[in-house]
Amino acid sequence: MTTIPCWALFHSKFNHRFEIWKITRTGNSFKVKEAATTDGDLISNSSQVQGFTYSVAHKCYYIAFNDYLFKIDAKGNLANYYHFNAKREVESLASYKSKIYIAMNKRAEVFDSNMAK
């Protein structure tokens, strides 16, 4: 049987952290395990998450809010963050090989980037 992993992001407002959960499906059964937890809310203005992805190549997570992109390491620590001054919001994120793909709103455009490790 094929095992299919995916990741889910949950914001615990009470604990002021983001929890990243790995969900693995094998056949009709699912296993859920907490993969990482951030130490803080990452952003203070109550913005909604607008993108989340896991990079297999870099072994880290990316979380996007408005025009901010946060890089979270495998243990949940903030590794880096990026700010786009494009006056446009991120609509979604994806990763493939070593690239991160960022879809922006207003004029539907997709950008790719070779993010540094």
Side-chain angles (χ1 to χ4, degrees), residues 41-53:
D41 291 313
L42 299 178
I43 200 156
S44 62
N45 64 4
S46 300
S47 291
Q48 300 294 316
V49 172
Q50 293 173 298
F52 172 68
T53 193

Side-chain angles (χ1 to χ4, degrees), residues 90-101:
V90 173
E91 287 297 322
S92 64
L93 294 176
S95 67
Y96 181 68
K97 295 187 179 180
S98 65
K99 292 190 179 210
I100 302 300
Y101 295 90

Side-chain angles (χ1 to χ4, degrees), residues 5-53:
C6 67
W7 286 262
L9 182 68
F10 171 73
H11 180 245
S12 176
K13 192 172 185 175
F14 177 75
N15 293 321
H16 300 283
R17 68 183 188 191
F18 282 90
E19 299 171 1
I20 300 168
W21 294 83
K22 183 176 182 179
I23 303 166
T24 306
R25 177 182 172 200
T26 304
N28 289 329
S29 66
F30 293 88
K31 291 183 182 177
V32 179
K33 179 182 177 187
E34 187 174 285
T37 303
T38 66
D39 184 27
D41 291 313
L42 299 178
I43 200 156
S44 62
N45 64 4
S46 300
S47 291
Q48 300 294 316
V49 172
Q50 293 173 298
F52 172 68
T53 193

